[in-house]
Amino acid sequence: MTEKTLLDVKGLKTYFYLEGKKVAKAVDGVHFSVKPGETVALVGESGSGKSITSLSIMKLIGKPGKIEEGQILFNGKDLVKFSDKQMTQVRGREIGMIFQEPMTALNPVFTIGNQITETLIRHKKVSKAEAEKKAIDLLKLVGFPRAEETMKEYPHQLSGGMRQRAMIAIAISCDPKLLIADEPTTALDVTIQAQILDIMDEMKKKFNMAVLLITHDLGVVAEYAERVMVMYGGQIVEQTTVENLFLNPKHPYTNGLLESLPSLEKEVDRLGAIKGMVPAAHEFPAGCRFSDRCPHVMDKCKAANPELVTVEPGHNVRCYLYE
Amino acid sequence: MSVIEKELKIETENDFIVEAKNLKKYFPIKGGVLKRTVGHVKAVDDISLSIIRGETLGVVGESGSGKSTLGRVILRLMEPTEGQILFENEDISRLSNRQLRPFRKDMQIVFQDPFASLNPKMNVQELIEEPLLVQTSLDKHERREKAISLLEKVGLRPDSRLKYPHEFSGGQRQRISIARALALNPKFIICDEPVSALDVSIQAQVLNLMADLQDEFNLTYLFIAHDLSVVKHISDRVAVMYLGRIAEIAPKKNLYDTPLHPYTEALLSAVPSTDVLNKREKIILKGDLPSPSNPPSGCAFRTRCPKAHERCALERPELINVSEGHYVACHLYEQ
Ligand SMILES: Nc1ncnc2c1ncn2[C@@H]1O[C@H](COP(=O)(O)OP(=O)(O)OP(=O)(O)O)[C@@H](O)[C@H]1O
Ligand SMILES: Nc1ncnc2c1ncn2[C@@H]1O[C@H](COP(=O)(O)OP(=O)(O)OP(=O)(O)O)[C@@H](O)[C@H]1O
Ligand code: SF4
Ligand code: SF4
Ligand SMILES: [Mg+2]
Ligand SMILES: [Mg+2]
């Protein structure tokens, strides 16, 4: 890749060491990159390793988990090698983060204003007055018309959608180069989801911020991302542009997902369900991790796990059908 | 007789299994040291609807719009504040628990979170047997046979009878709840967000199962969900709720192809689409759902409605019939 990359994740493995010598290979050899100003989606079902990938990038993996292997190059520097102290300079400042449930990330005993100004003072070394002014601007930007009053409110006084917008204001307060949004709208109603995603998109364009958007909603991927990675069993199984993924999906799992999705546009009598269920991270089937559910399974699929290979420029697939 | 009642009369040629008439459910808000009632949450505020035998009526609406409360009041899991519920033409709205017993086996409910609704201390056999013990005189052997056949029906292995809920995945637990709901051969099942907590591949399995069971047992569903695509897939007719009231109700095709209420339009436009070639224009609504304890005057949607006009603050729009089976509560459609 000649173009400059902002984030370059190489061979990332994050394992959890469970009781009875079991190992959960939550993230098992993940490669991807994000360019400045680009929105890249990480999509997959529950337990596929999306959150652990993002928490690994932020170096927020605690015991019994550990980053086993790999590099996380951010602006060319390997975050895996960063000390805790160095990471505090990265988190919230160079990389902002939004979680699914904002209540876990907002501090219930401080006002919204407090939480934004505190971040600004810590990272940007601005005066209290400057921080307050900037905080009010930010709140207005994310759609609080009465921002001065919102500054004085506590998280529990806000609705779910308002909290998520406040989270965005905090996450973008220090002009991060990368925003990681882990299911930012999963807990919200569609009308509020549309508000939030639109604000995120606007902020991204305004500040030329890159976004790593984690979701299990393929509709959200289609509307907001430029490139997408489909995760299954701790690995990327398909990686391409959003257009390609929906017009020319290749991996049997991606196809299965698309067919199982009811949509407003097309009417089907029966949904194409994928049989079985997502395997747990400590008991993947031998060989291809999708082999116990795949309608195209062959003998060799059960023997060894296929590699992620480039089948067309910019389109990578992990499946023997394409080797 | 109101307009709606007249319309209902015309429709009575249909075979209705459930009818709700001017149904209300208000929850008191207690305040002050004396815990006096200082107001009410109008969770269900004057809803009339009829459910045709064998159909699936979908109910959509934002969180807090009163979908679950409507379901619970219809099943008489909650006392209605006002109004009537008819089950197969019998008024069940004021029956005591004892009087309700013969109706209980005909009406069941499946919840969103099967983990919370399944007793963790009971194994699958006991969970499925429980309703059979209360409502039937089947002996031990017959109950066991019944449990096995139900498990097979919902796609679980009979040898999972002796396992406990925590040993199953979310999708499997939902299958157990469905098996349990089916135990008494009900006629009517309220499905309150039955697939909302499931992954898409598992959601599809459960939706297909529910459709199969409906065909096999001629079930009638009231299907509550906030996912408009899921509701479109499974329903014959769809009702859109907003702050305790019905904004629009219509056969599925009408509602999705020609939505009339500005709220329905916004809701549909907000659904993210996987159609990368044809992007839909989004109507982004401002603000949040207002508090149901203090709804806006006139039309409850007017604080967020892009088409609100003077009259909307003054008068509450009633549900009116605009074409066959298509009703909408909005001043734009009144002559
Ligand atoms: N603290 C932990 N201890 C043990 N295993 C864990 C831990 N955290 C995560 N895992 C396992 O790692 C795998 C990946 O989890 P992760 O949270 O990344 O999934 P996800 O794709 O974000 O799913 P969801 O859509 O449910 O958020 C799962 O199988 C999970 O059980
Ligand atoms: N037992 C109760 N006591 C007091 N208020 C209640 C009670 N149950 C529900 N409410 C209120 O009634 C309103 C409607 O709630 P309901 O649960 O019916 O909404 P819903 O449409 O099912 O929402 P969701 O999509 O979040 O499940 C809400 O404002 C809720 O807070
Ligand atoms: S490698 Fe084999 S089992 Fe795996 S997805 Fe491809 S065809 Fe299916
Ligand atoms: S009555 Fe008025 S405010 Fe209500 S939906 Fe119609 S136009 Fe909008
Ligand atoms: Mg996650
Ligand atoms: Mg509900």
Side-chain angles (χ1 to χ4, degrees), chain A residues 185 189-199 201 217-225 264-265, chain B residues 262-275 278-286 306:
Chain A
T185 56
D189 286 311
V190 279
T191 58
I192 310 295
Q193 163 167 292
Q195 276 178 9
I196 302 289
L197 292 175
D198 255 49
I199 288 168
D201 209 44
D217 187 332
L218 286 160
V220 169
V221 172
E223 297 226 8
Y224 295 93
L264 290 186
E265 281 78 22
Chain B
Y263 177 60
T264 314
E265 271 185 283
L267 212 52
L268 288 175
S269 82
V271 178
S273 158
T274 52
D275 188 348
N278 302 297
K279 294 264 170 189
R280 261 186 268 126
E281 192 64 40
K282 276 206 175 51
I283 304 165
I284 303 275
L285 291 179
K286 294 209 174 62

Coordinates of all heavy atoms in Angstrom, one line a residue, chain A residues 185 189-199 201 217-225 264-265, chain B residues 262-275 278-286 306:
Chain A
T185 N -24.8 2.7 18.2 CA -26.3 3.0 18.1 C -27.1 1.7 18.4 O -28.3 1.7 18.2 CB -26.7 3.5 16.8 OG1 -26.2 2.6 15.8 CG2 -26.0 4.9 16.5
D189 N -33.2 3.5 19.2 CA -34.3 3.4 18.2 C -33.8 3.9 16.9 O -32.9 4.8 16.8 CB -35.5 4.2 18.6 CG -36.2 3.6 19.8 OD1 -36.5 2.4 19.6 OD2 -36.5 4.3 20.7
V190 N -34.4 3.4 15.8 CA -33.9 3.8 14.4 C -33.9 5.3 14.2 O -32.9 5.8 13.5 CB -34.7 3.2 13.3 CG1 -34.2 1.8 13.0 CG2 -36.1 3.3 13.4
T191 N -34.8 6.0 14.7 CA -34.8 7.5 14.4 C -33.7 8.2 15.1 O -33.0 9.1 14.5 CB -36.2 8.1 14.8 OG1 -36.4 7.9 16.2 CG2 -37.3 7.6 14.0
I192 N -33.4 7.7 16.3 CA -32.3 8.3 17.1 C -31.0 7.8 16.5 O -30.0 8.5 16.4 CB -32.4 7.9 18.6 CG1 -33.8 8.2 19.1 CG2 -31.3 8.6 19.4 CD1 -34.2 9.6 19.1
Q193 N -30.9 6.5 16.0 CA -29.7 6.0 15.4 C -29.4 6.8 14.2 O -28.2 7.1 14.0 CB -30.0 4.5 14.9 CG -29.0 4.0 13.9 CD -29.1 2.5 13.7 OE1 -28.8 1.7 14.6 NE2 -29.6 2.1 12.6
A194 N -30.4 7.2 13.4 CA -30.1 8.0 12.2 C -29.5 9.3 12.6 O -28.5 9.8 12.0 CB -31.4 8.2 11.4
Q195 N -30.0 9.9 13.7 CA -29.5 11.2 14.2 C -28.0 11.1 14.5 O -27.1 11.8 14.1 CB -30.1 11.6 15.5 CG -31.4 12.3 15.4 CD -32.0 12.6 16.9 OE1 -31.3 12.4 17.9 NE2 -33.2 13.1 16.9
I196 N -27.7 10.0 15.3 CA -26.3 9.8 15.8 C -25.3 9.6 14.7 O -24.3 10.1 14.6 CB -26.3 8.7 16.8 CG1 -27.3 8.9 18.0 CG2 -24.9 8.4 17.4 CD1 -26.9 10.0 18.9
L197 N -25.7 8.6 13.8 CA -24.8 8.3 12.7 C -24.6 9.5 11.8 O -23.5 9.6 11.3 CB -25.3 7.1 12.0 CG -25.3 5.8 12.8 CD1 -26.0 4.6 12.0 CD2 -23.9 5.4 13.2
D198 N -25.6 10.3 11.6 CA -25.4 11.5 10.8 C -24.4 12.5 11.4 O -23.6 13.0 10.8 CB -26.8 12.1 10.6 CG -27.3 11.9 9.2 OD1 -27.3 10.7 8.8 OD2 -27.6 12.9 8.5
I199 N -24.6 12.6 12.7 CA -23.7 13.5 13.5 C -22.2 13.0 13.4 O -21.3 13.7 13.1 CB -24.1 13.7 14.9 CG1 -25.4 14.6 15.0 CG2 -23.0 14.3 15.8 CD1 -26.0 14.6 16.3
D201 N -21.0 11.1 11.1 CA -20.5 11.3 9.7 C -20.1 12.7 9.4 O -19.1 13.0 8.8 CB -21.6 10.9 8.8 CG -21.1 10.3 7.5 OD1 -20.1 9.5 7.5 OD2 -21.6 10.7 6.4
D217 N -24.8 -4.6 12.3 CA -25.9 -4.2 11.4 C -25.4 -3.9 10.0 O -24.7 -2.9 9.8 CB -26.6 -2.9 12.0 CG -27.8 -2.6 11.2 OD1 -27.9 -2.8 10.0 OD2 -28.7 -2.0 11.8
L218 N -25.7 -4.8 9.1 CA -25.1 -4.6 7.7 C -25.7 -3.4 7.0 O -25.1 -2.8 6.2 CB -25.4 -5.9 6.9 CG -24.6 -7.1 7.2 CD1 -25.2 -8.4 6.8 CD2 -23.2 -6.9 6.6
G219 N -26.9 -2.9 7.4 CA -27.5 -1.7 6.9 C -26.6 -0.5 7.3 O -26.3 0.4 6.4
V220 N -26.2 -0.5 8.5 CA -25.3 0.6 9.0 C -24.0 0.6 8.2 O -23.5 1.7 7.8 CB -25.1 0.5 10.5 CG1 -24.0 1.4 11.0 CG2 -26.4 0.8 11.3
V221 N -23.5 -0.6 8.0 CA -22.2 -0.7 7.2 C -22.5 -0.1 5.8 O -21.7 0.8 5.3 CB -21.8 -2.2 7.0 CG1 -20.7 -2.3 6.0 CG2 -21.5 -2.8 8.4
A222 N -23.5 -0.5 5.1 CA -23.8 0.0 3.8 C -24.0 1.5 3.7 O -23.5 2.1 2.7 CB -25.1 -0.7 3.3
E223 N -24.5 2.1 4.7 CA -24.8 3.5 4.6 C -23.6 4.4 5.1 O -23.6 5.5 4.6 CB -26.0 3.8 5.5 CG -27.3 3.1 5.0 CD -28.5 4.1 4.9 OE1 -28.3 5.3 5.0 OE2 -29.6 3.5 4.6
Y224 N -22.8 3.9 5.9 CA -21.8 4.8 6.5 C -20.3 4.5 6.2 O -19.5 5.3 6.5 CB -22.0 5.0 8.0 CG -23.4 5.6 8.3 CD1 -24.5 4.9 8.5 CD2 -23.5 7.0 8.3 CE1 -25.7 5.5 8.7 CE2 -24.7 7.7 8.5 CZ -25.8 6.9 8.7 OH -27.0 7.5 8.9
A225 N -20.0 3.3 5.8 CA -18.6 2.9 5.7 C -18.2 2.9 4.2 O -19.0 2.9 3.3 CB -18.4 1.5 6.3
L264 N -36.2 -4.1 3.8 CA -37.4 -3.4 3.4 C -37.6 -3.4 1.9 O -38.7 -3.3 1.4 CB -37.3 -1.9 3.8 CG -37.4 -1.6 5.3 CD1 -37.4 -0.1 5.5 CD2 -38.6 -2.2 5.9
E265 N -36.5 -3.7 1.2 CA -36.5 -3.6 -0.3 C -37.1 -4.9 -0.9 O -37.8 -4.8 -1.9 CB -35.1 -3.3 -0.9 CG -34.7 -1.8 -0.8 CD -34.2 -1.4 0.6 OE1 -33.8 -2.3 1.4 OE2 -34.3 -0.3 0.9
Chain B
P262 N -46.7 11.1 9.0 CA -45.3 11.6 8.9 C -44.3 10.8 9.8 O -43.2 10.7 9.5 CB -45.4 13.0 9.4 CG -46.9 13.4 9.1 CD -47.7 12.2 9.3
Y263 N -44.8 10.3 10.9 CA -44.0 9.5 11.8 C -43.6 8.2 11.1 O -42.4 7.8 11.1 CB -44.6 9.2 13.1 CG -43.8 8.3 14.0 CD1 -42.5 8.8 14.4 CD2 -44.3 7.1 14.5 CE1 -41.8 8.0 15.3 CE2 -43.5 6.3 15.3 CZ -42.3 6.7 15.7 OH -41.5 5.9 16.5
T264 N -44.5 7.5 10.5 CA -44.2 6.3 9.8 C -43.2 6.5 8.7 O -42.3 5.8 8.5 CB -45.5 5.6 9.2 OG1 -46.6 5.7 10.1 CG2 -45.3 4.2 8.7
E265 N -43.4 7.6 8.0 CA -42.5 8.0 6.9 C -41.1 8.1 7.4 O -40.1 7.6 6.8 CB -42.9 9.3 6.3 CG -43.9 9.3 5.1 CD -44.1 10.7 4.6 OE1 -44.8 11.5 5.2 OE2 -43.5 11.0 3.6
A266 N -40.9 8.9 8.5 CA -39.6 9.1 9.1 C -39.0 7.8 9.6 O -37.8 7.5 9.4 CB -39.7 10.1 10.3
L267 N -39.8 7.0 10.2 CA -39.4 5.7 10.8 C -38.8 4.9 9.6 O -37.7 4.3 9.7 CB -40.6 5.0 11.4 CG -40.4 4.1 12.6 CD1 -39.6 4.8 13.7 CD2 -41.7 3.7 13.2
L268 N -39.6 4.7 8.6 CA -39.1 3.9 7.4 C -37.9 4.5 6.8 O -37.0 3.7 6.4 CB -40.2 3.8 6.4 CG -41.4 2.9 6.8 CD1 -42.5 2.9 5.8 CD2 -41.0 1.5 7.1
S269 N -37.8 5.8 6.7 CA -36.7 6.4 6.0 C -35.4 6.2 6.8 O -34.3 6.2 6.3 CB -36.9 7.8 5.7 OG -36.6 8.6 6.8
A270 N -35.6 6.0 8.1 CA -34.4 5.9 9.0 C -33.8 4.6 9.0 O -32.7 4.4 9.5 CB -34.8 6.4 10.4
V271 N -34.4 3.6 8.5 CA -33.9 2.2 8.5 C -32.7 2.1 7.6 O -32.8 2.4 6.4 CB -35.0 1.2 8.1 CG1 -34.4 -0.2 8.1 CG2 -36.2 1.2 9.0
P272 N -31.5 1.8 8.1 CA -30.4 1.7 7.2 C -30.6 0.6 6.2 O -31.0 -0.5 6.5 CB -29.2 1.4 8.1 CG -29.7 1.4 9.5 CD -31.2 1.4 9.5
S273 N -30.3 0.9 4.9 CA -30.5 0.0 3.9 C -29.3 -0.6 3.3 O -28.2 0.0 3.2 CB -31.2 0.8 2.7 OG -31.1 0.1 1.5
T274 N -29.3 -1.9 3.0 CA -28.2 -2.6 2.4 C -28.1 -2.4 0.9 O -27.3 -3.0 0.2 CB -28.2 -4.1 2.7 OG1 -29.4 -4.6 2.3 CG2 -28.0 -4.3 4.2
D275 N -29.1 -1.6 0.3 CA -29.1 -1.4 -1.1 C -28.1 -0.3 -1.4 O -28.5 0.9 -1.4 CB -30.5 -1.1 -1.5 CG -30.7 -1.0 -3.0 OD1 -29.7 -1.0 -3.7 OD2 -31.8 -0.9 -3.5
N278 N -29.2 2.2 -4.6 CA -30.3 3.1 -4.4 C -30.4 3.6 -3.0 O -31.0 3.0 -2.2 CB -31.6 2.5 -4.8 CG -31.6 1.9 -6.2 OD1 -31.4 2.7 -7.1 ND2 -31.7 0.6 -6.3
K279 N -29.8 4.8 -2.7 CA -29.8 5.3 -1.4 C -31.1 6.0 -1.2 O -31.6 6.8 -2.0 CB -28.7 6.3 -1.2 CG -27.3 5.6 -1.2 CD -26.8 5.3 0.2 CE -25.6 4.4 0.0 NZ -25.1 3.8 1.2
R280 N -31.8 5.7 -0.1 CA -33.0 6.3 0.3 C -32.7 7.7 0.9 O -31.7 7.9 1.6 CB -33.8 5.5 1.3 CG -34.9 4.7 0.7 CD -35.7 4.0 1.8 NE -35.2 2.7 2.0 CZ -34.9 2.3 3.3 NH1 -35.0 3.1 4.3 NH2 -34.4 1.1 3.4
E281 N -33.6 8.6 0.7 CA -33.5 9.9 1.3 C -34.0 9.8 2.8 O -35.0 9.2 3.0 CB -34.4 11.0 0.6 CG -34.2 12.4 1.0 CD -32.8 12.9 0.6 OE1 -32.3 12.5 -0.5 OE2 -32.2 13.6 1.5
K282 N -33.2 10.3 3.7 CA -33.5 10.1 5.1 C -34.3 11.3 5.6 O -33.9 12.5 5.3 CB -32.3 9.9 6.0 CG -31.8 8.6 6.0 CD -31.0 8.4 7.3 CE -30.6 7.0 7.5 NZ -29.9 6.5 6.3
I283 N -35.3 11.1 6.4 CA -35.9 12.2 7.2 C -35.4 12.1 8.6 O -35.7 11.1 9.3 CB -37.5 12.0 7.2 CG1 -38.0 11.9 5.8 CG2 -38.1 13.2 8.0 CD1 -39.4 11.4 5.7
I284 N -34.5 13.0 9.0 CA -33.9 13.0 10.3 C -34.8 13.7 11.3 O -35.0 14.9 11.1 CB -32.5 13.5 10.3 CG1 -31.6 12.8 9.3 CG2 -31.9 13.5 11.7 CD1 -31.0 11.6 9.8
L285 N -35.4 13.0 12.2 CA -36.3 13.7 13.2 C -35.4 14.4 14.2 O -34.4 13.9 14.7 CB -37.2 12.6 13.9 CG -38.2 12.0 13.1 CD1 -39.0 11.0 13.9 CD2 -39.2 13.0 12.5
K286 N -35.9 15.5 14.7 CA -35.2 16.2 15.8 C -35.7 15.7 17.1 O -36.9 15.4 17.2 CB -35.4 17.7 15.6 CG -34.8 18.3 14.4 CD -34.4 19.7 14.6 CE -33.6 20.2 13.4 NZ -34.4 20.2 12.2
P306 N -42.2 17.1 10.9 CA -41.8 18.1 9.9 C -43.0 18.8 9.2 O -42.8 19.8 8.6 CB -40.9 17.3 8.9 CG -41.0 15.9 9.2 CD -41.8 15.8 10.5

